[in-house]
Amino acid sequence: MDSLAATSLFSALNFIIIIFISSVSTDQINITAEVGQETFLPCRSPDNKPVLILQWIRSDLGSEYVLLYRNKKINLENQHVMFKDRVDLQDRQMKDGNVSLVLKNVTTDDRGAYECRIIQTETNSRTETVFIINLDVLLPPPDQTNITAEVGQETFLPCRSPDNKPVLVLEWRRSDLGSEYVLLYRNDQIDLENQHVMFKDRVDLQDRQMKDGNVSLVLKKVTTDDRGAYECQIIQTETNSRRKTIIIINLIVTSPGEPDGGNRDGPAGLIGLVLGLVVASVILVIIVVFVCLIRKKKACWSPKSKQSSEEPLQAEQA
């Protein structure tokens, strides 16, 4: 009797397993997007069969969803705050099994591995399919800014950390100075160990608290040697990545009274040219007058003029 009961129980368990078995398959896709763009993460239900539950999740976000679809509608109750009003299904009707996710206004925080979990019911089983989409978010190319300062002035080179997130390392560099820094910030303080001698006691951060992401550089007593392209390199840590941003500032240094880097072709140069021409003209007139006077004097002492002056005297003597 016991053996018969055991056999019946074993058969029943096998029947239950056959009915409710879940088959899971996993595919991976890589997607790249730029900050600020709208992108979509592709996913499709196998065999275009009706979807009972659709889960878009990211494992590093805990138990909350990127997007959850069940009971034939999108459920916003357990959605992660990062994705509120920023995600939707590409096709809410899920035609042809399309369950792709639309992600708006992409940020660097959106980097990560997304799981598209599709649960379908069939005649005698429940099928779960998992697709993994790796999203990489690219930053736009380095920004470049031109700054002009005069010799002896104090100026600042503007730079701001993206999204105002905490800065792990800040490097102010100039490529022509080798491995030494203009300014280095790490471990929550300015590190003077590898600073170039040119900038000792001449540079500082505009705000050491870096409020609102302000990591601008103050440069005191500007000299012509300060001309060049400065790189502001910002390294930040995020939930699951490390981000580096580079901003380039071109510093132009002029001497006082020499706008546009010492270009003298302006009103002052034009006045100088006119004065030069006037002086040259006056000198030329003086030379011409002097030459004429010399020629007249020579004419008075010529033999012809001497002969004409002696003729009246000879006539009187006769």
Side-chain angles (χ1 to χ4, degrees), residues 94-138:
M94 300 184 183
K95 293 174 185 174
D96 301 321
N98 182 9
V99 293
S100 301
L101 183 79
V102 177
L103 179 57
K104 305 170 186 176
N105 193 23
V106 173
T107 73
T108 51
D109 288 331
D110 294 328
R111 289 188 184 113
Y114 292 75
E115 292 183 14
C116 172
R117 293 182 173 269
I118 305 163
I119 298 173
Q120 298 166 290
T121 54
E122 298 180 356
T123 307
N124 60 347
S125 66
R126 174 179 169 136
T127 304
E128 180 174 350
T129 308
V130 180
F131 294 91
I132 296 183
I133 296 90
N134 297 305
L135 177 63
D136 187 22
V137 180
L138 302 178

Side-chain angles (χ1 to χ4, degrees), residues 157-220:
L157 310 185
C159 190
R160 194 170 294 278
S161 63
D163 307 322
N164 298 338
K165 288 189 167 52
V167 174
L168 180 65
V169 179
L170 169 66
E171 301 174 356
W172 275 97
R173 290 178 170 273
R174 221 174 70 186
S175 58
D176 59 318
L177 298 180
S179 60
E180 293 180 303
Y181 298 95
V182 176
L183 181 142
L184 173 63
Y185 174 93
R186 63 183 175 189
N187 300 326
D188 298 325
Q189 62 181 356
I190 294 175
D191 187 339
L192 302 176
E193 187 176 347
N194 293 310
Q195 187 178 46
H196 194 281
V197 65
M198 268 180 60
F199 299 100
K200 288 193 181 296
D201 303 319
R202 292 181 56 230
V203 293
D204 200 351
L205 292 177
Q206 192 177 35
D207 181 0
R208 290 201 179 193
Q209 304 302 315
M210 300 183 184
K211 293 175 185 174
D212 300 322
N214 182 9
V215 293
S216 302
L217 183 79
V218 176
L219 179 56
K220 305 169 186 176

